[in-house]
Structure formats: C-alpha cells, structure tokens
Amino acid sequence: MQIGIFTVGDVTTDPTNGSTPTEHERIKATVAIAKKAEEVGLDVFATGEHHNPPFVPSSPTTTLAYIGAQTEKIILSTSTTLITTNDPVKIAEDYATLQHLVDGRMDLMLGRGNTAPVYPWFGKDISKAVELTIENYQLLQKLWSEPVVNWEGKFRTPLQGYTSTPAPLDGVAPFVWHGSIRTPEVAELAAFYGDGYFANNIFWPKEHYIQLINFYRQRYAHYGHGTPEQAIVGLGGQFFMRKNSQDAVNEFRPYFDNAPVYGHGPSMEDFTEQTPLTVGSPQQVLERTLAFADYFGDYQRQLFLVDHAGLPLKTVLEQLDLLGEILPTMRAEFDARRPAGVPDAPTHAARVAARDAALTEEVMA
C-alpha cells in the first residue's frame, strides 16, 4: 500500500482571521508540504493541475521537478493531469523528462478536469471531453511505446515520422492512473490498458464509488490483465484530526462551513456521515481509513487531501505529523489484511524488473 497526500492548490481565505495567502506563498507552501510528507514517511505526493483562479498549480511538472530536487524517496504524481486540454505530445515530453530527473520515482494521474471554461481557453469543446480523453490517451500510449509514430486523429494535426524525446527512462513509460468522479468510460479506458484506476472518493457516498470500482475491476479482468482482485485501485480521502476529537470538530468547523467546494451546503456532521471525510482523533481516522478496503476491496494507493479550505500551513504540517504517528499502524494493518494474490502498488523499479523478466522468459522459450 502506498499512502500519501494530494493537493488541489487552492488559494482560499482563512475564515478564522480573514487572511489570504498570496500565490507566491501558496506555491511555496506546496513545496513545504511535499517535503514534510517525505519527512513523516509518506509514499506519495501529488499535485493537481488548474488554469484558473483560485488555484495555482498550472504547471505540475515544474513544481514536481523542483520538489524532486529536494527529496529522495517520495513518489511524485499528479491529481490530475488534464488529458483533454493538454497536447498528448507535450504530456509525453514533459513527464518523460520528469521521470529522468527524479530517477523514476514518479507517475501521473490523468483526468478530464471539472472546470468548464478551461476547454475553450485551450481550443477544446467540453461536449467532446470523453472523445478527447480516449483519443489523446491512445496517442500518448503510442508516443511512449513506439520509436517512430505515424498517427492521425480527430482533434489534432497528424504526426508523420515523429519521435518523442526523451524516451521513457529504462524504456518503461511512467505508470498511469486514470482519475474519475463519475465517468464509467474512464474506468473502461483504465481497464482496457491495464492501468490504475483512481476513485476520487471525496464528495459522494461510498455506494457511488463501489459501483465505479467494481465496474473497473470486472473490465480489467475481461481484458485479460488478471483477476478483478488484481486490478490496480487508488482512493482519495480527507480528514482533519486532533488528539481530542472534539477539538478537531471545533477547529475544523469554520473551514468546512466556508469551504469553496462544499461550504454552505450540508452540515459537517451530515457530510462526514455520508462521505469519507473524517473529523476526529487519529484513532478515528485510522479506523475509518482501514474500513475502506471492506467496501472497495484491497487496493494499492490511498491519498488524502489535507491542505484545502484556507487551512494555514502550520496547521497542515501539524496534520501531517499526526498522520505520521498512525502511519506505521495503518500500513501494517493494510498489509496484514491483503491476500497474497493482490499485487503491490506499481513502482518504476518493479515495472522494469517485470519487463526484464518477461524478456528473459521469451528468450528461454
């Protein structure tokens, strides 16, 4: 199990004192949070991609490369990379470059994005979002797997005799997760290619994500990649914790009530009951997170959202310290319950080894 955090990079006013970080402060805070994540023993840090206020992560590979130069172990990822509005040629180049810079300790999560105005800004039609997702990913696959690409599609100019540079590190492309909140076509795409499927698991009741994840698992098996239980699944989640659960409730309430995404809607009590948000003690966060596998099956990656809604950097870093305290138990409990046939989370080293073993088998056959 890989356990980590993700950020959407929002610039939000702190409702308790009215202060709003500058974009510079928010970008620098993102780096500090990533470094803290490695310090407390987390496995993954992921940043979103947005091209509109109030968000700052418009250039994920720039941020991740900068973080990569200041860290040693943590896997760097995205949450998400916009497969619809980015040119797949540029995605291939940028993420292969990042893969080389950080010696393979990266992957990426592709997604459509949920900000409608972004599509026309990049010359795209949001009504074609699913078609763009499928076609652009087909091209990205070719760019990373074929030395010379001849290609023609519906949404960009054709390619003739094109070679993407740099080629992936060790000849193994970055592992791809497909992130989704509601779209079964994304689960189908992930299953077809044998890629990972990441269920956002933030806003909706567990029954919604159970349906999507089970669909992905079934289609993964249908395409011959393994059993449904061997499909590669990631989950989101969010928490706010203090040593005393009531302290957590009291402190987080103004942030919840004024959060741009879910503020001024359901009460915090209703939201925590209906969604995976946990506000309470470290033990409560641990127990609720471990229960995810009861609903969704054994899975490979758990990412938490911890730095949103105007929470100050100091508080976010304290949240990471608390997560670090329960991390060994969380990891051990997940590992103990996982059946032998369920694969580990993908890493570059493991995928290179698997490729080499397969080549050896071919030679010996």
Side-chain angles (χ1 to χ4, degrees), residues 117-312:
V118 171
Y119 284 78
W121 294 342
F122 288 85
K124 308 299 181 183
D125 180 354
I126 194 171
S127 70
K128 306 294 185 183
V130 173
E131 293 178 70
L132 279 162
T133 297
I134 295 170
E135 180 176 299
N136 285 353
Y137 188 57
Q138 289 171 342
L139 176 55
L140 180 61
Q141 279 277 324
K142 291 177 70 71
L143 292 166
W144 275 340
S145 62
E146 300 179 13
V148 179
V149 172
N150 296 298
W151 180 90
E152 184 172 352
K154 181 179 178 181
F155 297 108
R156 80 173 315 280
T157 53
L159 297 173
Q160 297 295 329
Y162 179 79
T163 297
S164 182
T165 58
L169 178 66
D170 301 316
V172 174
F175 185 76
V176 172
W177 300 84
H178 298 262
S180 178
I181 296 176
R182 59 184 175 272
T183 309
E185 290 90 344
V186 172
E188 178 77 18
L189 186 67
F192 179 81
Y193 285 100
D195 295 334
Y197 178 69
F198 189 92
N200 176 275
N201 195 37
I202 294 291
F203 303 117
W204 293 17
K206 63 180 181 297
E207 290 77 14
H208 171 77
Y209 294 107
I210 289 171
Q211 185 176 8
L212 282 172
I213 290 169
N214 285 346
F215 173 74
Y216 160 69
R217 290 186 184 277
Q218 292 161 9
R219 299 304 290 169
Y220 182 94
H222 169 80
Y223 289 117
H225 301 298
T227 67
E229 294 76 20
Q230 292 172 323
I232 307 299
V233 173
L235 293 176
Q238 56 182 328
F239 63 76
F240 187 88
M241 56 180 155
R242 290 300 187 194
K243 294 290 189 181
N244 179 283
S245 61
Q246 192 58 49
D247 289 342
V249 171
N250 293 339
E251 184 175 348
F252 188 63
R253 188 177 299 281
Y255 295 98
F256 177 89
D257 288 345
N258 293 278
V261 174
Y262 45 57
H264 311 290
S267 69
M268 189 169 72
E269 287 72 17
D270 287 343
F271 198 83
T272 53
E273 181 179 348
Q274 297 168 11
T275 76
L277 172 64
T278 305
V279 181
S281 68
Q283 185 62 30
Q284 288 173 306
V285 171
L286 176 63
E287 291 174 358
R288 191 150 194 220
T289 303
L290 292 174
F292 289 170
D294 295 332
Y295 310 133
F296 306 115
D298 294 284
Y299 61 109
Q300 283 75 22
R301 176 172 285 186
Q302 174 65 56
L303 300 183
F304 296 104
L305 175 64
V306 297
D307 69 330
H308 63 123
L311 288 166

Side-chain angles (χ1 to χ4, degrees), residues 313-324:
L313 176 59
K314 177 178 180 294
T315 301
V316 174
L317 299 181
E318 290 168 352
Q319 293 297 298
L320 293 177
D321 278 327
L322 290 168
L323 178 57

